[in-house]
Amino acid sequence: MPSLSPLTRTVQWRGRTVAWDRLGEGPPVVLLHGTPWSSALWRPIAESLSAQYTVYLWDMAGYGASSKDPDHAVDLGVQGELFAHLLDEWGLERPHVVAHDFGGAVALRARLLHGARYASLCLVDVVALSPWGSPFFTLVKEHADVFAQLPPAIHRAAVEAYIRGASHRGLRDEDLAMLVEPWGGPEGKSAFYRQIAQADEHFTDEVEPLYRTLHEPTHIVWGTEDAWIPVDRAHRLRDSIPGATLALVEDAGHLIQLDATGELSTELARWLAAQTR
């Protein structure tokens, strides 16, 4: 079960409160989550990596333990700017970056548009190439105002069903509860539909032509049974980034951190060890 240890630090940025944490000692590694997740999804792997690395975790604005003010934008453009700011705030000039889902687009935008630099980049089942978004995601995006009016019990059932669809092997009840919890209550419910409504493929279309300019070591990891972002995107992304390598994880869906915890941990440890020799 993923640890529910809370993030212990915050930083203020453009009126937002961003929750983050730092674990361990060693070369810096930054983990980025996606949607509708939070850093809690990465926590067990972060704790394992912290034996050899300084690992940074953070909840994107509007996610997890970070603030969810309805007046604050939470789109990929904002998150990319925020991530570049956090790297400056943390004093990290060239960290190793590992990103999942939307976190991939955030890391790529920070790198290609906002001056961030990485020692290496590992992209895990990421949003990076159009088209993206599950059928439910697309439906909610088109009718976000309607979904935001759902009664709490129906909202929770919808979120649970949506999240279950990201796993190929099936989720334990405690894992599902961990993933759903940030989206409960009026604030969480509003934030859930807001972040989907603000998703737009132009944020990846804008940077996709620039992928060929990436020169840091880049590794792509993908679950072969990812129903949200099919594995053909992994091959397309590898071919878009000079020198990129690809590892496929069999029998894993989009929630690869839970479907294949051991396999993903081993692959990340192997990749990071090769980059820090």
Side-chain angles (χ1 to χ4, degrees):
M1 175 182 175
S3 169
L4 296 182
S5 300
L7 300 176
T8 61
R9 310 166 195 244
T10 60
V11 64
Q12 301 298 312
W13 182 76
R14 299 183 186 174
R16 299 161 174 83
T17 299
V18 180
W20 69 281
D21 215 340
R22 182 172 56 222
L23 312 174
E25 294 291 337
V29 175
V30 185
L31 303 178
L32 288 83
H33 69 81
T35 183
W37 327 120
S38 73
S39 62
L41 185 59
W42 277 122
R43 189 79 187 206
I45 291 175
E47 291 176 349
S48 176
L49 291 174
S50 69
Q52 294 179 283
Y53 304 96
T54 301
V55 183
Y56 292 78
L57 290 165
W58 63 292
D59 284 345
M60 293 188 194
Y63 292 77
S66 291
S67 60
K68 299 179 177 68
D69 190 318
D71 293 330
H72 291 157
V74 293
D75 59 62
L76 288 171
V78 166
Q79 307 293 359
E81 292 183 68
L82 170 56
F83 184 49
H85 172 80
L86 287 175
L87 294 179
D88 287 340
E89 179 82 12
W90 296 333
L92 301 181
E93 294 184 2
R94 287 172 55 85
H96 300 278
V97 171
V98 179
H100 177 242
D101 188 83
F102 265 27
V106 172
L108 288 163
R109 288 184 63 88
R111 167 68 177 81
L112 295 166
L113 300 180
H114 304 301
R117 292 293 180 267
Y118 309 143
S120 70
L121 178 61
C122 185
L123 301 170
V124 182
D125 291 80
V126 294
V127 169
L129 300 170
S130 296
W132 43 264
S134 68
F136 177 81
F137 189 95
T138 302
L139 178 66
V140 171
K141 179 175 170 55
E142 294 173 351
H143 305 284
D145 290 343
V146 175
F147 277 88
Q149 298 174 49
L150 289 176
I154 297 177
H155 161 69
R156 183 176 182 90
V159 174
E160 288 183 354
Y162 174 51
I163 287 175
R164 284 188 189 279
S167 169
H168 177 66
R169 299 184 185 178
L171 296 174
R172 297 181 301 176
D173 289 345
E174 57 265 38
D175 292 335
L176 179 64
M178 177 272 293
L179 295 170
V180 171
E181 188 275 333
W183 307 116
E187 181 183 65
K189 175 184 168 185
S190 173
F192 179 79
Y193 296 113
R194 184 166 60 253
Q195 51 90 15
I196 294 179
Q198 293 183 23
D200 197 299
E201 288 178 357
H202 89 262
F203 289 113
T204 51
D205 293 343
E206 182 179 10
V207 292
E208 183 178 343
L210 302 178
Y211 295 166
R212 65 179 182 272
T213 69
L214 293 168
H215 53 73
E216 54 269 77
T218 301
H219 187 47
I220 298 162
V221 181
W222 219 275
T224 59
E225 304 302 322
D226 189 332
W228 282 17
I229 312 178
V231 70
D232 72 283
R233 306 295 198 286
H235 297 279
R236 283 177 52 198
L237 187 58
R238 178 196 58 192
D239 294 343
S240 299
I241 300 174
T245 54
L246 171 62
L248 300 180
V249 179
E250 297 294 329
D251 200 34
H254 189 66
L255 274 173
I256 189 171
Q257 295 95 333
L258 299 177
D259 279 356
T261 307
E263 296 96 321
L264 179 59
S265 297
T266 298
E267 183 60 25
L268 293 180
R270 182 201 65 77
W271 166 253
L272 291 170
Q275 306 313 309
T276 55
R277 286 176 184 153

